[in-house]
């Protein structure tokens, strides 16, 4: 029997099921042997689709938790790491793009309803970020067939901290020409080319930023802030 099968079997164990029902809010599992914690947590998550934040002492331990949860049958796509952005988020230095993208994606997962696991170190979890209410309103969603003013999208991209570059190569960049808008959204591995006919979105396709070749259609694009600060109209750097 695989470890994933054990975890699913434990989810239906009568005694554990009763204890799982009484769990709410934060839980401290210190009395439980460290080797058993991922299996028991996976069993809990198999029994209840709940949002979970795991805080570990180090980043290496966070990666270990992710690997063990995957062995216990938790899908990889539902486990996100919340990396530390460090002081670069608020200094003049340019923050590391991939870490920022992963951090924004993890914060987005925490405020969205439904199942999801975010793993963080204490430093990453305690770093300053946007209030939940503001972060919830900061995400923009577009899809083929939808109608939206192109100027409104460009204004929104500026407020979200996206930088206009030609061509786009990294998350947090965009470019526009005629009825075409290229956006490399935070949390994505490839940029998306959006084609407009007037104010209607005709198509959205992922493309390779090196060859500019399309690699597949995109049914929906969710835009999130490129960093944990937002620009407001009229603000100047």
């Amino acid at each position: 029997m695989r470890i994933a099968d054990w975890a699913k079997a434990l989810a239906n164990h009568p005694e554990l099921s009763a204890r799982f029902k009484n769990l709410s809010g934060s839980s401290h599992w210190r009395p439980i042997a460290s080797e058993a914690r991922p299996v028991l947590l996976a069993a809990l998550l198999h029994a209840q689709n709940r949002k979970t934040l795991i805080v570990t002492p180090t980043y290496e331990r966070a990666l270990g938790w992710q690997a063990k949860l995957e062995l216990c049958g938790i899908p990889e796509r539902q486990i996100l790491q919340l990396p530390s952005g460090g002081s670069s988020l608020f200094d003049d230095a340019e923050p590391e793009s991939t870490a920022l993208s992963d951090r924004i994606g993890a914060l987005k997962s925490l405020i969205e309803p439904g199942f999801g696991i975010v793993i963080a170190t204490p430093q990453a979890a305690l770093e300053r970020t946007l209030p939940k209410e503001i972060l919830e309103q900061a995400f923009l969603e577009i899809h083929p067939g939808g109608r939206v003013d192109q100027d409104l999208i460009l204004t929104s991209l500026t407020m979200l901290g996206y930088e206009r570059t030609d061509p786009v190569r990294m998350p947090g960049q965009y470019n526009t020409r005629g009825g075409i808008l290229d956006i490399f959204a935070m949390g994505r591995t490839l940029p998306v080319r959006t084609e407009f006919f007037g104010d209607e979105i005709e198509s959205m396709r992922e493309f390779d930023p090196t060859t500019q070749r399309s690699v597949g259609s995109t049914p929906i694009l969710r835009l999130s802030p490129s960093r944990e600060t937002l620009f407001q109209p009229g603000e100047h750097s």
Side-chain angles (χ1 to χ4, degrees), residues 44-87:
L44 170 62
L45 296 174
H46 285 308
Q48 303 176 11
N49 289 332
R50 56 193 293 171
K51 191 74 68 179
T52 304
L53 172 64
I54 304 171
V55 180
T56 66
T58 65
Y59 181 61
E60 288 72 21
R61 292 279 291 275
L63 293 177
W65 262 93
Q66 180 170 358
K68 292 172 183 176
L69 287 173
E70 289 177 17
L71 283 175
C72 292
I74 305 299
E76 179 183 2
R77 67 181 183 279
Q78 294 178 327
I79 306 174
L80 297 175
Q81 294 284 344
L82 178 69
S84 170
S87 60

Side-chain angles (χ1 to χ4, degrees), residues 95-111:
E96 202 278 315
S97 178
T98 301
L100 269 178
S101 179
D102 291 345
R103 184 171 172 84
I104 292 294
L107 290 172
K108 183 174 184 289
S109 174
L110 284 175
I111 65 173

Side-chain angles (χ1 to χ4, degrees), residues 94-151:
E94 185 70 19
E96 202 278 315
S97 178
T98 301
L100 269 178
S101 179
D102 291 345
R103 184 171 172 84
I104 292 294
L107 290 172
K108 183 174 184 289
S109 174
L110 284 175
I111 65 173
E112 287 182 332
F115 177 74
I117 303 169
V118 174
I119 310 175
T121 62
Q123 176 185 349
L126 293 174
E127 281 175 9
R128 181 183 176 189
T129 189
L130 293 167
K132 177 183 176 182
E133 296 75 16
I134 294 178
L135 196 58
E136 285 177 328
Q137 299 173 10
F139 297 98
L140 177 67
E141 187 174 285
I142 58 177
H143 57 85
R147 299 186 66 85
V148 60
D149 188 286
Q150 293 184 57
D151 291 336

